[in-house]
PDB file of all heavy atoms in Angstrom:
ATOM      1  N   THR A 190      75.490 151.884  81.307  1.00  0.00           N
ATOM      2  CA  THR A 190      76.802 151.403  81.052  1.00  0.00           C
ATOM      3  C   THR A 190      77.137 150.191  81.717  1.00  0.00           C
ATOM      4  O   THR A 190      78.048 149.412  81.224  1.00  0.00           O
ATOM      5  CB  THR A 190      77.769 152.536  81.656  1.00  0.00           C
ATOM      6  OG1 THR A 190      77.679 152.559  82.992  1.00  0.00           O
ATOM      7  CG2 THR A 190      77.612 153.892  81.065  1.00  0.00           C
ATOM      8  N   PHE A 191      76.297 149.685  82.729  1.00  0.00           N
ATOM      9  CA  PHE A 191      76.535 148.453  83.383  1.00  0.00           C
ATOM     10  C   PHE A 191      75.793 147.315  82.821  1.00  0.00           C
ATOM     11  O   PHE A 191      76.222 146.122  82.887  1.00  0.00           O
ATOM     12  CB  PHE A 191      76.205 148.592  84.843  1.00  0.00           C
ATOM     13  CG  PHE A 191      77.221 149.386  85.691  1.00  0.00           C
ATOM     14  CD1 PHE A 191      77.032 150.676  86.049  1.00  0.00           C
ATOM     15  CD2 PHE A 191      78.430 148.806  86.091  1.00  0.00           C
ATOM     16  CE1 PHE A 191      77.968 151.384  86.742  1.00  0.00           C
ATOM     17  CE2 PHE A 191      79.363 149.454  86.734  1.00  0.00           C
ATOM     18  CZ  PHE A 191      79.211 150.766  87.193  1.00  0.00           C
ATOM     19  N   VAL A 192      74.571 147.530  82.303  1.00  0.00           N
ATOM     20  CA  VAL A 192      73.668 146.521  81.900  1.00  0.00           C
ATOM     21  C   VAL A 192      73.586 146.251  80.402  1.00  0.00           C
ATOM     22  O   VAL A 192      72.940 145.240  79.968  1.00  0.00           O
ATOM     23  CB  VAL A 192      72.241 146.679  82.444  1.00  0.00           C
ATOM     24  CG1 VAL A 192      72.317 146.787  83.909  1.00  0.00           C
ATOM     25  CG2 VAL A 192      71.601 147.934  81.862  1.00  0.00           C
ATOM     26  N   VAL A 193      74.109 147.150  79.500  1.00  0.00           N
ATOM     27  CA  VAL A 193      74.092 147.023  78.029  1.00  0.00           C
ATOM     28  C   VAL A 193      75.461 146.501  77.556  1.00  0.00           C
ATOM     29  O   VAL A 193      76.424 147.096  77.767  1.00  0.00           O
ATOM     30  CB  VAL A 193      73.741 148.337  77.386  1.00  0.00           C
ATOM     31  CG1 VAL A 193      73.683 148.088  75.828  1.00  0.00           C
ATOM     32  CG2 VAL A 193      72.402 148.810  77.915  1.00  0.00           C
ATOM     33  N   GLU A 194      75.399 145.337  76.963  1.00  0.00           N
ATOM     34  CA  GLU A 194      76.675 144.655  76.505  1.00  0.00           C
ATOM     35  C   GLU A 194      76.932 145.089  75.044  1.00  0.00           C
ATOM     36  O   GLU A 194      75.961 145.372  74.286  1.00  0.00           O
ATOM     37  CB  GLU A 194      76.457 143.155  76.602  1.00  0.00           C
ATOM     38  CG  GLU A 194      76.222 142.700  77.901  1.00  0.00           C
ATOM     39  CD  GLU A 194      77.395 142.775  78.951  1.00  0.00           C
ATOM     40  OE1 GLU A 194      78.568 142.795  78.345  1.00  0.00           O
ATOM     41  OE2 GLU A 194      77.213 142.812  80.058  1.00  0.00           O
ATOM     42  N   PRO A 195      78.237 145.061  74.632  1.00  0.00           N
ATOM     43  CA  PRO A 195      78.570 145.351  73.289  1.00  0.00           C
ATOM     44  C   PRO A 195      77.936 144.328  72.415  1.00  0.00           C
ATOM     45  O   PRO A 195      77.685 143.084  72.797  1.00  0.00           O
ATOM     46  CB  PRO A 195      80.088 145.204  73.282  1.00  0.00           C
ATOM     47  CG  PRO A 195      80.501 145.387  74.745  1.00  0.00           C
ATOM     48  CD  PRO A 195      79.362 144.877  75.522  1.00  0.00           C
ATOM     49  N   PRO A 196      77.718 144.633  71.134  1.00  0.00           N
ATOM     50  CA  PRO A 196      77.060 143.695  70.237  1.00  0.00           C
ATOM     51  C   PRO A 196      77.896 142.440  69.878  1.00  0.00           C
ATOM     52  O   PRO A 196      79.136 142.539  69.834  1.00  0.00           O
ATOM     53  CB  PRO A 196      76.820 144.548  68.868  1.00  0.00           C
ATOM     54  CG  PRO A 196      77.893 145.677  69.037  1.00  0.00           C
ATOM     55  CD  PRO A 196      78.034 145.880  70.423  1.00  0.00           C
ATOM     56  N   LYS A 197      77.171 141.290  69.817  1.00  0.00           N
ATOM     57  CA  LYS A 197      77.914 140.080  69.459  1.00  0.00           C
ATOM     58  C   LYS A 197      77.121 139.468  68.191  1.00  0.00           C
ATOM     59  O   LYS A 197      75.992 139.225  68.250  1.00  0.00           O
ATOM     60  CB  LYS A 197      77.806 139.010  70.647  1.00  0.00           C
ATOM     61  CG  LYS A 197      78.420 139.514  71.858  1.00  0.00           C
ATOM     62  CD  LYS A 197      78.158 138.621  73.112  1.00  0.00           C
ATOM     63  CE  LYS A 197      78.718 139.087  74.348  1.00  0.00           C
ATOM     64  NZ  LYS A 197      78.479 138.214  75.496  1.00  0.00           N
ATOM     65  N   ARG A 198      77.932 139.350  67.142  1.00  0.00           N
ATOM     66  CA  ARG A 198      77.375 138.927  65.856  1.00  0.00           C
ATOM     67  C   ARG A 198      76.499 137.700  65.870  1.00  0.00           C
ATOM     68  O   ARG A 198      75.553 137.593  65.145  1.00  0.00           O
ATOM     69  CB  ARG A 198      78.464 138.811  64.866  1.00  0.00           C
ATOM     70  CG  ARG A 198      79.106 140.172  64.538  1.00  0.00           C
ATOM     71  CD  ARG A 198      80.236 139.994  63.477  1.00  0.00           C
ATOM     72  NE  ARG A 198      80.914 141.203  63.184  1.00  0.00           N
ATOM     73  CZ  ARG A 198      81.997 141.261  62.345  1.00  0.00           C
ATOM     74  NH1 ARG A 198      82.401 140.215  61.646  1.00  0.00           N
ATOM     75  NH2 ARG A 198      82.556 142.427  62.139  1.00  0.00           N
ATOM     76  N   LYS A 199      76.880 136.625  66.573  1.00  0.00           N
ATOM     77  CA  LYS A 199      76.246 135.446  66.624  1.00  0.00           C
ATOM     78  C   LYS A 199      74.981 135.473  67.382  1.00  0.00           C
ATOM     79  O   LYS A 199      74.221 134.427  67.252  1.00  0.00           O
ATOM     80  CB  LYS A 199      77.175 134.288  67.151  1.00  0.00           C
ATOM     81  CG  LYS A 199      78.379 134.050  66.338  1.00  0.00           C
ATOM     82  CD  LYS A 199      79.315 132.968  66.719  1.00  0.00           C
ATOM     83  CE  LYS A 199      80.504 132.794  65.991  1.00  0.00           C
ATOM     84  NZ  LYS A 199      81.376 131.637  66.453  1.00  0.00           N
ATOM     85  N   LYS A 200      74.771 136.391  68.183  1.00  0.00           N
ATOM     86  CA  LYS A 200      73.523 136.487  69.058  1.00  0.00           C
ATOM     87  C   LYS A 200      72.398 137.036  68.269  1.00  0.00           C
ATOM     88  O   LYS A 200      72.578 137.831  67.261  1.00  0.00           O
ATOM     89  CB  LYS A 200      73.770 137.309  70.332  1.00  0.00           C
ATOM     90  CG  LYS A 200      74.791 136.674  71.172  1.00  0.00           C
ATOM     91  CD  LYS A 200      74.283 135.476  71.985  1.00  0.00           C
ATOM     92  CE  LYS A 200      75.253 135.010  73.030  1.00  0.00           C
ATOM     93  NZ  LYS A 200      74.698 133.878  73.771  1.00  0.00           N
ATOM     94  N   GLU A 201      71.074 136.760  68.687  1.00  0.00           N
ATOM     95  CA  GLU A 201      69.971 137.354  68.026  1.00  0.00           C
ATOM     96  C   GLU A 201      69.930 138.799  68.306  1.00  0.00           C
ATOM     97  O   GLU A 201      70.144 139.308  69.437  1.00  0.00           O
ATOM     98  CB  GLU A 201      68.634 136.678  68.652  1.00  0.00           C
ATOM     99  CG  GLU A 201      67.405 137.254  68.013  1.00  0.00           C
ATOM    100  CD  GLU A 201      66.194 136.743  68.767  1.00  0.00           C
ATOM    101  OE1 GLU A 201      66.272 136.039  69.756  1.00  0.00           O
ATOM    102  OE2 GLU A 201      65.067 137.132  68.308  1.00  0.00           O
ATOM    103  N   SER A 202      69.723 139.650  67.297  1.00  0.00           N
ATOM    104  CA  SER A 202      69.786 141.130  67.502  1.00  0.00           C
ATOM    105  C   SER A 202      68.715 141.667  66.593  1.00  0.00           C
ATOM    106  O   SER A 202      68.067 141.080  65.794  1.00  0.00           O
ATOM    107  CB  SER A 202      71.133 141.602  66.992  1.00  0.00           C
ATOM    108  OG  SER A 202      71.386 141.356  65.632  1.00  0.00           O
ATOM    109  N   PHE A 203      68.448 143.068  66.837  1.00  0.00           N
ATOM    110  CA  PHE A 203      67.510 143.749  66.033  1.00  0.00           C
ATOM    111  C   PHE A 203      68.257 144.262  64.761  1.00  0.00           C
ATOM    112  O   PHE A 203      68.892 145.274  64.687  1.00  0.00           O
ATOM    113  CB  PHE A 203      67.090 145.033  66.813  1.00  0.00           C
ATOM    114  CG  PHE A 203      66.271 144.686  67.973  1.00  0.00           C
ATOM    115  CD1 PHE A 203      66.812 144.890  69.253  1.00  0.00           C
ATOM    116  CD2 PHE A 203      64.946 144.245  67.923  1.00  0.00           C
ATOM    117  CE1 PHE A 203      66.065 144.624  70.407  1.00  0.00           C
ATOM    118  CE2 PHE A 203      64.193 143.951  68.982  1.00  0.00           C
ATOM    119  CZ  PHE A 203      64.764 144.148  70.303  1.00  0.00           C
ATOM    120  N   GLN A 204      68.284 143.440  63.775  1.00  0.00           N
ATOM    121  CA  GLN A 204      68.961 143.712  62.494  1.00  0.00           C
ATOM    122  C   GLN A 204      68.243 144.342  61.452  1.00  0.00           C
ATOM    123  O   GLN A 204      68.827 144.641  60.365  1.00  0.00           O
ATOM    124  CB  GLN A 204      69.727 142.470  62.046  1.00  0.00           C
ATOM    125  CG  GLN A 204      70.702 141.891  62.989  1.00  0.00           C
ATOM    126  CD  GLN A 204      71.537 140.738  62.419  1.00  0.00           C
ATOM    127  OE1 GLN A 204      71.335 140.287  61.376  1.00  0.00           O
ATOM    128  NE2 GLN A 204      72.511 140.289  63.281  1.00  0.00           N
ATOM    129  N   LYS A 205      66.885 144.571  61.609  1.00  0.00           N
ATOM    130  CA  LYS A 205      66.138 145.092  60.502  1.00  0.00           C
ATOM    131  C   LYS A 205      66.422 146.580  60.393  1.00  0.00           C
ATOM    132  O   LYS A 205      66.725 147.211  61.418  1.00  0.00           O
ATOM    133  CB  LYS A 205      64.644 144.845  60.738  1.00  0.00           C
ATOM    134  CG  LYS A 205      64.085 145.537  62.024  1.00  0.00           C
ATOM    135  CD  LYS A 205      62.644 145.206  62.167  1.00  0.00           C
ATOM    136  CE  LYS A 205      61.974 145.857  63.346  1.00  0.00           C
ATOM    137  NZ  LYS A 205      60.583 145.560  63.576  1.00  0.00           N
ATOM    138  N   GLU A 206      66.335 147.120  59.246  1.00  0.00           N
ATOM    139  CA  GLU A 206      66.680 148.555  59.115  1.00  0.00           C
ATOM    140  C   GLU A 206      65.532 149.430  59.591  1.00  0.00           C
ATOM    141  O   GLU A 206      64.360 149.027  59.507  1.00  0.00           O
ATOM    142  CB  GLU A 206      66.914 148.866  57.550  1.00  0.00           C
ATOM    143  CG  GLU A 206      68.179 148.156  57.062  1.00  0.00           C
ATOM    144  CD  GLU A 206      69.472 148.604  57.686  1.00  0.00           C
ATOM    145  OE1 GLU A 206      69.498 149.883  58.001  1.00  0.00           O
ATOM    146  OE2 GLU A 206      70.320 147.838  57.851  1.00  0.00           O
ATOM    147  N   SER A 207      65.922 150.561  60.085  1.00  0.00           N
ATOM    148  CA  SER A 207      64.826 151.555  60.557  1.00  0.00           C
ATOM    149  C   SER A 207      64.489 152.337  59.314  1.00  0.00           C
ATOM    150  O   SER A 207      65.126 153.335  59.035  1.00  0.00           O
ATOM    151  CB  SER A 207      65.439 152.343  61.661  1.00  0.00           C
ATOM    152  OG  SER A 207      64.529 153.382  62.051  1.00  0.00           O
ATOM    153  N   ASN A 208      63.358 151.975  58.711  1.00  0.00           N
ATOM    154  CA  ASN A 208      62.986 152.739  57.528  1.00  0.00           C
ATOM    155  C   ASN A 208      62.430 154.120  57.753  1.00  0.00           C
ATOM    156  O   ASN A 208      61.761 154.276  58.785  1.00  0.00           O
ATOM    157  CB  ASN A 208      61.978 151.897  56.643  1.00  0.00           C
ATOM    158  CG  ASN A 208      62.580 150.617  56.148  1.00  0.00           C
ATOM    159  OD1 ASN A 208      63.582 150.578  55.791  1.00  0.00           O
ATOM    160  ND2 ASN A 208      61.646 149.590  56.334  1.00  0.00           N
ATOM    161  N   SER A 209      62.748 155.062  56.933  1.00  0.00           N
ATOM    162  CA  SER A 209      62.239 156.419  57.103  1.00  0.00           C
ATOM    163  C   SER A 209      60.791 156.439  56.905  1.00  0.00           C
ATOM    164  O   SER A 209      60.216 155.652  56.044  1.00  0.00           O
ATOM    165  CB  SER A 209      62.939 157.379  56.055  1.00  0.00           C
ATOM    166  OG  SER A 209      62.458 158.676  56.257  1.00  0.00           O
ATOM    167  N   GLU A 210      60.035 157.256  57.733  1.00  0.00           N
ATOM    168  CA  GLU A 210      58.628 157.352  57.578  1.00  0.00           C
ATOM    169  C   GLU A 210      58.144 158.084  56.429  1.00  0.00           C
ATOM    170  O   GLU A 210      58.907 158.842  55.873  1.00  0.00           O
ATOM    171  CB  GLU A 210      58.079 158.021  58.878  1.00  0.00           C
ATOM    172  CG  GLU A 210      58.269 157.269  60.087  1.00  0.00           C
ATOM    173  CD  GLU A 210      57.772 157.962  61.258  1.00  0.00           C
ATOM    174  OE1 GLU A 210      58.178 159.113  61.476  1.00  0.00           O
ATOM    175  OE2 GLU A 210      56.887 157.444  62.004  1.00  0.00           O
ATOM    176  N   THR A 211      56.922 157.795  55.947  1.00  0.00           N
ATOM    177  CA  THR A 211      56.321 158.561  54.771  1.00  0.00           C
ATOM    178  C   THR A 211      55.799 159.963  55.336  1.00  0.00           C
ATOM    179  O   THR A 211      55.598 160.135  56.546  1.00  0.00           O
ATOM    180  CB  THR A 211      55.182 157.835  54.135  1.00  0.00           C
ATOM    181  OG1 THR A 211      54.096 157.741  55.152  1.00  0.00           O
ATOM    182  CG2 THR A 211      55.607 156.452  53.798  1.00  0.00           C
ATOM    183  N   TYR A 212      55.623 160.915  54.393  1.00  0.00           N
ATOM    184  CA  TYR A 212      54.991 162.258  54.753  1.00  0.00           C
ATOM    185  C   TYR A 212      53.648 161.971  55.323  1.00  0.00           C
ATOM    186  O   TYR A 212      53.206 162.740  56.261  1.00  0.00           O
ATOM    187  CB  TYR A 212      55.031 163.145  53.549  1.00  0.00           C
ATOM    188  CG  TYR A 212      56.350 163.585  53.122  1.00  0.00           C
ATOM    189  CD1 TYR A 212      56.964 163.218  52.014  1.00  0.00           C
ATOM    190  CD2 TYR A 212      56.990 164.613  53.890  1.00  0.00           C
ATOM    191  CE1 TYR A 212      58.263 163.686  51.621  1.00  0.00           C
ATOM    192  CE2 TYR A 212      58.262 165.073  53.514  1.00  0.00           C
ATOM    193  CZ  TYR A 212      58.845 164.573  52.490  1.00  0.00           C
ATOM    194  OH  TYR A 212      60.129 165.160  52.133  1.00  0.00           O
ATOM    195  N   GLU A 213      52.876 160.972  54.840  1.00  0.00           N
ATOM    196  CA  GLU A 213      51.476 160.852  55.323  1.00  0.00           C
ATOM    197  C   GLU A 213      51.574 160.407  56.683  1.00  0.00           C
ATOM    198  O   GLU A 213      50.774 160.933  57.558  1.00  0.00           O
ATOM    199  CB  GLU A 213      50.805 159.712  54.452  1.00  0.00           C
ATOM    200  CG  GLU A 213      49.381 159.469  54.960  1.00  0.00           C
ATOM    201  CD  GLU A 213      48.858 158.369  54.120  1.00  0.00           C
ATOM    202  OE1 GLU A 213      49.378 157.769  53.153  1.00  0.00           O
ATOM    203  OE2 GLU A 213      47.631 157.962  54.434  1.00  0.00           O
ATOM    204  N   GLU A 214      52.455 159.508  57.114  1.00  0.00           N
ATOM    205  CA  GLU A 214      52.610 159.010  58.566  1.00  0.00           C
ATOM    206  C   GLU A 214      52.935 160.290  59.550  1.00  0.00           C
ATOM    207  O   GLU A 214      52.430 160.299  60.614  1.00  0.00           O
ATOM    208  CB  GLU A 214      53.687 157.933  58.673  1.00  0.00           C
ATOM    209  CG  GLU A 214      53.260 156.657  58.040  1.00  0.00           C
ATOM    210  CD  GLU A 214      54.382 155.659  58.047  1.00  0.00           C
ATOM    211  OE1 GLU A 214      55.519 155.982  57.799  1.00  0.00           O
ATOM    212  OE2 GLU A 214      54.146 154.445  58.200  1.00  0.00           O
ATOM    213  N   ILE A 215      53.919 161.091  58.974  1.00  0.00           N
ATOM    214  CA  ILE A 215      54.288 162.312  59.822  1.00  0.00           C
ATOM    215  C   ILE A 215      53.158 163.164  60.045  1.00  0.00           C
ATOM    216  O   ILE A 215      52.901 163.697  61.107  1.00  0.00           O
ATOM    217  CB  ILE A 215      55.479 162.985  59.116  1.00  0.00           C
ATOM    218  CG1 ILE A 215      56.675 162.070  59.103  1.00  0.00           C
ATOM    219  CG2 ILE A 215      55.893 164.271  59.794  1.00  0.00           C
ATOM    220  CD1 ILE A 215      57.826 162.628  58.216  1.00  0.00           C
TER     221      ILE A 215
END
Side-chain angles (χ1 to χ4, degrees):
T190 64
F191 285 103
V192 302
V193 181
E194 300 291 335
K197 298 175 183 179
R198 293 182 181 177
K199 294 183 179 180
K200 297 286 186 178
E201 180 188 4
S202 62
F203 294 107
Q204 294 187 0
K205 63 181 180 179
E206 293 297 324
S207 177
N208 296 320
S209 181
E210 295 180 301
T211 65
Y212 286 108
E213 182 182 358
E214 289 174 321
I215 294 171

